[in-house]
Short mmCIF file of all heavy atoms in Angstrom, two decimals:
data_model
loop_
_atom_site.label_atom_id
_atom_site.label_comp_id
_atom_site.label_asym_id
_atom_site.label_seq_id
_atom_site.Cartn_x
_atom_site.Cartn_y
_atom_site.Cartn_z
N THR A 941 212.13 136.54 18.38
CA THR A 941 211.06 137.52 18.19
C THR A 941 210.26 137.27 16.92
O THR A 941 209.32 137.99 16.64
CB THR A 941 211.64 138.94 18.13
OG1 THR A 941 212.55 139.02 17.01
CG2 THR A 941 212.40 139.27 19.39
N ALA A 942 210.60 136.24 16.16
CA ALA A 942 209.96 136.04 14.86
C ALA A 942 208.51 135.62 14.98
O ALA A 942 207.71 135.88 14.10
CB ALA A 942 210.74 134.99 14.06
N LEU A 943 208.15 134.99 16.09
CA LEU A 943 206.82 134.39 16.18
C LEU A 943 205.74 135.42 16.51
O LEU A 943 204.64 135.36 15.97
CB LEU A 943 206.81 133.27 17.22
CG LEU A 943 207.67 132.06 16.87
CD1 LEU A 943 207.59 131.02 17.98
CD2 LEU A 943 207.24 131.43 15.54
N VAL A 944 206.01 136.35 17.39
CA VAL A 944 204.96 137.26 17.83
C VAL A 944 205.36 138.72 17.69
O VAL A 944 204.77 139.58 18.32
CB VAL A 944 204.55 136.97 19.29
CG1 VAL A 944 203.88 135.62 19.40
CG2 VAL A 944 205.76 137.02 20.21
N GLY A 945 206.36 139.01 16.87
CA GLY A 945 206.70 140.40 16.62
C GLY A 945 207.58 141.01 17.70
O GLY A 945 208.18 140.31 18.50
N ALA A 946 207.64 142.32 17.71
CA ALA A 946 208.57 143.03 18.58
C ALA A 946 208.34 142.74 20.05
O ALA A 946 209.27 142.66 20.84
CB ALA A 946 208.49 144.53 18.32
N LEU A 947 207.07 142.57 20.43
CA LEU A 947 206.80 142.31 21.84
C LEU A 947 207.44 141.02 22.32
O LEU A 947 207.71 140.84 23.49
CB LEU A 947 205.28 142.25 22.08
CG LEU A 947 204.55 143.58 22.10
CD1 LEU A 947 203.06 143.36 22.29
CD2 LEU A 947 205.08 144.47 23.21
N GLY A 948 207.67 140.10 21.39
CA GLY A 948 208.27 138.82 21.78
C GLY A 948 209.66 138.98 22.33
O GLY A 948 210.17 138.10 23.00
N GLY A 949 210.34 140.13 22.04
CA GLY A 949 211.68 140.33 22.57
C GLY A 949 211.70 140.75 24.02
O GLY A 949 212.76 140.76 24.65
N LEU A 950 210.57 141.13 24.58
CA LEU A 950 210.50 141.55 25.97
C LEU A 950 210.55 140.33 26.88
O LEU A 950 209.77 139.40 26.72
CB LEU A 950 209.21 142.33 26.21
CG LEU A 950 209.09 143.05 27.55
CD1 LEU A 950 210.15 144.13 27.68
CD2 LEU A 950 207.70 143.67 27.69
N ARG A 951 211.46 140.34 27.83
CA ARG A 951 211.59 139.21 28.75
C ARG A 951 211.20 139.69 30.16
O ARG A 951 210.07 139.98 30.41
CB ARG A 951 213.01 138.64 28.68
CG ARG A 951 213.33 138.02 27.30
CD ARG A 951 212.39 136.86 26.99
NE ARG A 951 212.67 136.24 25.71
CZ ARG A 951 211.93 136.36 24.64
NH1 ARG A 951 210.86 137.14 24.65
NH2 ARG A 951 212.24 135.73 23.52
N ASP A 952 212.14 139.78 31.08
CA ASP A 952 211.79 140.28 32.41
C ASP A 952 211.39 141.75 32.33
O ASP A 952 212.11 142.57 31.74
CB ASP A 952 212.97 140.14 33.38
CG ASP A 952 213.18 138.71 33.83
OD1 ASP A 952 212.20 137.94 33.82
OD2 ASP A 952 214.32 138.35 34.17
N ALA A 953 210.26 142.09 32.91
CA ALA A 953 209.81 143.48 32.97
C ALA A 953 208.88 143.60 34.17
O ALA A 953 207.69 143.32 34.07
CB ALA A 953 209.11 143.90 31.69
N TYR A 954 209.42 143.98 35.34
CA TYR A 954 208.59 143.98 36.54
C TYR A 954 209.08 145.01 37.56
O TYR A 954 210.19 145.52 37.46
CB TYR A 954 208.58 142.60 37.19
CG TYR A 954 209.94 142.11 37.68
CD1 TYR A 954 210.48 142.56 38.88
CD2 TYR A 954 210.68 141.18 36.94
CE1 TYR A 954 211.71 142.11 39.33
CE2 TYR A 954 211.90 140.72 37.38
CZ TYR A 954 212.41 141.19 38.58
OH TYR A 954 213.64 140.75 39.02
N ILE A 955 208.20 145.31 38.51
CA ILE A 955 208.57 146.05 39.71
C ILE A 955 208.26 145.18 40.92
O ILE A 955 207.35 144.33 40.87
CB ILE A 955 207.82 147.40 39.80
CG1 ILE A 955 206.31 147.19 39.78
CG2 ILE A 955 208.26 148.33 38.70
CD1 ILE A 955 205.52 148.46 40.03
N LEU A 956 209.01 145.37 41.98
CA LEU A 956 208.88 144.56 43.19
C LEU A 956 208.93 145.48 44.40
O LEU A 956 209.85 146.28 44.55
CB LEU A 956 210.02 143.53 43.25
CG LEU A 956 210.12 142.64 44.48
CD1 LEU A 956 208.91 141.72 44.57
CD2 LEU A 956 211.40 141.80 44.43
N LEU A 957 207.92 145.37 45.25
CA LEU A 957 207.82 146.20 46.46
C LEU A 957 208.08 145.35 47.70
O LEU A 957 207.46 144.30 47.88
CB LEU A 957 206.43 146.84 46.55
CG LEU A 957 206.10 147.57 47.85
CD1 LEU A 957 207.00 148.79 48.04
CD2 LEU A 957 204.63 147.97 47.89
N LYS A 958 209.01 145.82 48.55
CA LYS A 958 209.28 145.19 49.84
C LYS A 958 209.17 146.27 50.92
O LYS A 958 210.16 146.90 51.28
CB LYS A 958 210.66 144.54 49.86
CG LYS A 958 210.81 143.36 48.92
CD LYS A 958 212.20 142.73 49.03
CE LYS A 958 212.35 141.54 48.11
NZ LYS A 958 213.71 140.94 48.19
N HIS A 959 207.97 146.48 51.42
CA HIS A 959 207.72 147.55 52.39
C HIS A 959 207.84 147.01 53.81
O HIS A 959 207.40 145.89 54.10
CB HIS A 959 206.33 148.14 52.17
CG HIS A 959 206.14 149.48 52.81
ND1 HIS A 959 205.90 149.64 54.15
CD2 HIS A 959 206.19 150.73 52.27
CE1 HIS A 959 205.79 150.92 54.43
NE2 HIS A 959 205.96 151.61 53.32
N PRO A 960 208.42 147.79 54.74
CA PRO A 960 208.55 147.34 56.13
C PRO A 960 207.21 146.96 56.78
O PRO A 960 207.18 146.13 57.70
CB PRO A 960 209.18 148.54 56.83
CG PRO A 960 209.91 149.27 55.76
CD PRO A 960 209.11 149.08 54.52
N LEU A 961 206.11 147.55 56.31
CA LEU A 961 204.81 147.19 56.88
C LEU A 961 204.42 145.75 56.58
O LEU A 961 203.54 145.19 57.24
CB LEU A 961 203.73 148.14 56.34
CG LEU A 961 203.82 149.61 56.78
CD1 LEU A 961 202.74 150.43 56.12
CD2 LEU A 961 203.71 149.70 58.30
N LEU A 962 205.09 145.14 55.59
CA LEU A 962 204.80 143.76 55.22
C LEU A 962 205.79 142.78 55.84
O LEU A 962 205.97 141.67 55.34
CB LEU A 962 204.82 143.62 53.69
CG LEU A 962 203.85 144.53 52.93
CD1 LEU A 962 204.04 144.37 51.43
CD2 LEU A 962 202.40 144.24 53.32
N SER A 963 206.44 143.19 56.91
CA SER A 963 207.44 142.35 57.57
C SER A 963 206.80 141.30 58.46
O SER A 963 205.72 141.51 59.03
CB SER A 963 208.39 143.22 58.40
OG SER A 963 209.08 144.14 57.59
N PHE A 964 207.50 140.18 58.57
CA PHE A 964 207.10 139.10 59.48
C PHE A 964 208.31 138.72 60.32
O PHE A 964 209.44 138.71 59.82
CB PHE A 964 206.60 137.89 58.70
CG PHE A 964 205.34 138.16 57.92
CD1 PHE A 964 205.39 138.61 56.61
CD2 PHE A 964 204.09 137.94 58.50
CE1 PHE A 964 204.24 138.85 55.88
CE2 PHE A 964 202.93 138.18 57.78
CZ PHE A 964 203.01 138.64 56.47
N PRO A 965 208.10 138.39 61.60
CA PRO A 965 209.25 138.12 62.48
C PRO A 965 210.06 136.90 62.08
O PRO A 965 211.23 136.80 62.42
CB PRO A 965 208.58 137.92 63.86
CG PRO A 965 207.16 137.58 63.55
CD PRO A 965 206.81 138.32 62.31
N PHE A 966 209.46 135.97 61.33
CA PHE A 966 210.16 134.75 60.97
C PHE A 966 210.85 134.84 59.61
O PHE A 966 211.45 133.87 59.14
CB PHE A 966 209.19 133.56 60.95
CG PHE A 966 207.94 133.82 60.14
CD1 PHE A 966 207.93 133.63 58.78
CD2 PHE A 966 206.78 134.26 60.77
CE1 PHE A 966 206.79 133.86 58.04
CE2 PHE A 966 205.62 134.50 60.03
CZ PHE A 966 205.64 134.31 58.66
N ALA A 967 210.76 135.99 58.93
CA ALA A 967 211.33 136.16 57.59
C ALA A 967 212.50 137.13 57.62
O ALA A 967 212.57 138.03 58.47
CB ALA A 967 210.27 136.64 56.61
N LYS A 968 213.42 136.97 56.68
CA LYS A 968 214.60 137.82 56.60
C LYS A 968 214.27 139.20 56.04
O LYS A 968 214.90 140.20 56.41
CB LYS A 968 215.65 137.15 55.71
CG LYS A 968 216.44 136.05 56.38
CD LYS A 968 217.47 136.63 57.34
CE LYS A 968 218.37 135.54 57.88
NZ LYS A 968 219.39 136.08 58.80
N GLU A 969 213.32 139.27 55.12
CA GLU A 969 212.93 140.52 54.47
C GLU A 969 211.42 140.62 54.47
O GLU A 969 210.72 139.62 54.64
CB GLU A 969 213.46 140.58 53.04
CG GLU A 969 214.96 140.72 52.92
CD GLU A 969 215.39 140.89 51.47
OE1 GLU A 969 214.85 140.20 50.59
OE2 GLU A 969 216.27 141.72 51.21
N PRO A 970 210.88 141.82 54.22
CA PRO A 970 209.42 141.95 54.11
C PRO A 970 208.87 141.13 52.95
O PRO A 970 209.59 140.76 52.02
CB PRO A 970 209.22 143.45 53.89
CG PRO A 970 210.46 144.10 54.39
CD PRO A 970 211.56 143.13 54.14
N LEU A 971 207.59 140.86 53.01
CA LEU A 971 206.90 140.20 51.91
C LEU A 971 207.07 141.02 50.64
O LEU A 971 206.85 142.23 50.63
CB LEU A 971 205.41 140.05 52.25
CG LEU A 971 204.52 139.44 51.16
CD1 LEU A 971 204.77 137.94 51.07
CD2 LEU A 971 203.05 139.71 51.46
N GLY A 972 207.48 140.37 49.55
CA GLY A 972 207.66 141.06 48.29
C GLY A 972 206.44 140.92 47.40
O GLY A 972 205.88 139.83 47.26
N LEU A 973 205.99 142.03 46.83
CA LEU A 973 204.86 142.04 45.91
C LEU A 973 205.39 142.40 44.53
O LEU A 973 205.96 143.48 44.34
CB LEU A 973 203.80 143.05 46.36
CG LEU A 973 203.18 142.79 47.74
CD1 LEU A 973 202.17 143.88 48.08
CD2 LEU A 973 202.53 141.42 47.81
N GLN A 974 205.19 141.51 43.56
CA GLN A 974 205.79 141.64 42.24
C GLN A 974 204.70 141.77 41.17
O GLN A 974 203.72 141.02 41.19
CB GLN A 974 206.67 140.42 41.96
CG GLN A 974 207.56 140.52 40.74
CD GLN A 974 208.49 139.32 40.64
OE1 GLN A 974 208.35 138.32 41.35
NE2 GLN A 974 209.47 139.40 39.76
N VAL A 975 204.86 142.70 40.24
CA VAL A 975 203.91 142.92 39.16
C VAL A 975 204.68 143.08 37.86
O VAL A 975 205.65 143.84 37.81
CB VAL A 975 203.04 144.17 39.40
CG1 VAL A 975 202.05 144.37 38.26
CG2 VAL A 975 202.29 144.07 40.73
N GLY A 976 204.23 142.39 36.80
CA GLY A 976 204.88 142.55 35.51
C GLY A 976 204.98 141.24 34.76
O GLY A 976 204.14 140.34 34.90
N ASN A 977 206.04 141.09 33.97
CA ASN A 977 206.30 139.90 33.16
C ASN A 977 207.52 139.19 33.74
O ASN A 977 208.63 139.73 33.71
CB ASN A 977 206.55 140.31 31.71
CG ASN A 977 206.57 139.11 30.77
OD1 ASN A 977 205.62 138.35 30.71
ND2 ASN A 977 207.66 138.95 30.03
N PHE A 978 207.33 138.00 34.28
CA PHE A 978 208.42 137.27 34.93
C PHE A 978 208.09 135.78 34.97
O PHE A 978 206.97 135.37 34.65
CB PHE A 978 208.69 137.81 36.34
CG PHE A 978 207.48 137.86 37.23
CD1 PHE A 978 207.18 136.82 38.10
CD2 PHE A 978 206.63 138.97 37.22
CE1 PHE A 978 206.07 136.87 38.93
CE2 PHE A 978 205.52 139.03 38.05
CZ PHE A 978 205.24 137.98 38.91
N TYR A 979 209.07 134.98 35.36
CA TYR A 979 208.88 133.53 35.40
C TYR A 979 207.84 133.14 36.44
O TYR A 979 207.85 133.62 37.57
CB TYR A 979 210.19 132.82 35.75
CG TYR A 979 211.06 132.50 34.56
CD1 TYR A 979 212.37 132.97 34.48
CD2 TYR A 979 210.59 131.72 33.51
CE1 TYR A 979 213.18 132.68 33.39
CE2 TYR A 979 211.38 131.42 32.43
CZ TYR A 979 212.67 131.89 32.37
OH TYR A 979 213.45 131.60 31.28
N GLU A 980 206.97 132.23 36.04
CA GLU A 980 206.09 131.62 37.02
C GLU A 980 206.94 130.75 37.96
O GLU A 980 207.89 130.10 37.51
CB GLU A 980 205.03 130.75 36.34
CG GLU A 980 204.05 131.54 35.50
CD GLU A 980 202.89 130.68 35.01
OE1 GLU A 980 202.67 129.59 35.59
OE2 GLU A 980 202.20 131.10 34.07
N PRO A 981 206.64 130.74 39.26
CA PRO A 981 207.44 129.94 40.19
C PRO A 981 207.13 128.45 40.05
O PRO A 981 206.27 127.90 40.74
CB PRO A 981 207.02 130.48 41.56
CG PRO A 981 205.63 131.00 41.34
CD PRO A 981 205.58 131.50 39.93
N MET A 982 207.84 127.79 39.12
CA MET A 982 207.59 126.37 38.85
C MET A 982 208.91 125.70 38.49
O MET A 982 209.40 125.82 37.38
CB MET A 982 206.58 126.24 37.71
CG MET A 982 206.23 124.81 37.33
SD MET A 982 205.21 124.02 38.60
CE MET A 982 205.20 122.32 38.02
N GLY A 983 209.50 125.00 39.45
CA GLY A 983 210.70 124.23 39.18
C GLY A 983 211.99 124.98 39.43
O GLY A 983 212.05 126.21 39.40
N LEU A 984 213.05 124.21 39.65
CA LEU A 984 214.37 124.77 39.92
C LEU A 984 215.08 125.17 38.63
O LEU A 984 215.58 126.29 38.50
CB LEU A 984 215.21 123.74 40.69
CG LEU A 984 216.69 124.03 40.89
CD1 LEU A 984 216.89 125.33 41.65
CD2 LEU A 984 217.37 122.88 41.63
N GLU A 985 215.13 124.26 37.67
CA GLU A 985 215.87 124.54 36.44
C GLU A 985 215.20 125.63 35.61
O GLU A 985 215.86 126.46 35.01
CB GLU A 985 216.00 123.26 35.62
CG GLU A 985 216.97 123.36 34.46
CD GLU A 985 217.12 122.06 33.71
OE1 GLU A 985 216.11 121.34 33.52
OE2 GLU A 985 218.24 121.74 33.29
N ARG A 986 213.86 125.64 35.56
CA ARG A 986 213.16 126.63 34.75
C ARG A 986 213.37 128.05 35.26
O ARG A 986 213.56 128.99 34.49
CB ARG A 986 211.66 126.31 34.71
CG ARG A 986 210.77 127.40 34.15
CD ARG A 986 211.20 127.83 32.76
NE ARG A 986 210.90 126.86 31.74
CZ ARG A 986 211.24 126.99 30.46
NH1 ARG A 986 211.90 128.06 30.06
NH2 ARG A 986 210.94 126.05 29.58
N THR A 987 213.34 128.25 36.57
CA THR A 987 213.43 129.60 37.12
C THR A 987 214.86 130.10 37.22
O THR A 987 215.08 131.27 37.54
CB THR A 987 212.77 129.66 38.51
OG1 THR A 987 213.37 128.69 39.37
CG2 THR A 987 211.28 129.38 38.40
N ASN A 988 215.84 129.23 36.99
CA ASN A 988 217.24 129.65 37.05
C ASN A 988 217.65 130.28 35.71
O ASN A 988 217.30 129.76 34.65
CB ASN A 988 218.15 128.46 37.35
CG ASN A 988 219.41 128.87 38.07
OD1 ASN A 988 219.48 129.95 38.67
ND2 ASN A 988 220.42 128.02 38.05
#
């Protein structure tokens, strides 16, 4: 947190909506809509 102050300590902070209206027959769960601070979907090791 030293570089950008207190906000730098915030990591994951999001909400995720999976509504039945967003369902597709070929998917296990409805389409998820995510808003907030989270990892960009780039790479296996980075997102783990």
Side-chain angles (χ1 to χ4, degrees):
T941 61
L943 294 180
V944 293
L947 284 178
L950 190 63
R951 294 299 181 252
D952 285 334
Y954 63 79
I955 57 173
L956 176 65
L957 172 65
K958 294 182 179 179
H959 198 281
L961 292 177
L962 303 176
S963 299
F964 295 90
F966 51 84
K968 282 285 187 179
E969 291 185 318
L971 177 74
L973 300 178
Q974 191 174 11
V975 180
N977 191 57
F978 53 95
Y979 272 123
E980 294 189 18
M982 180 72 189
L984 171 59
E985 191 178 39
R986 168 55 73 183
T987 56
N988 208 20

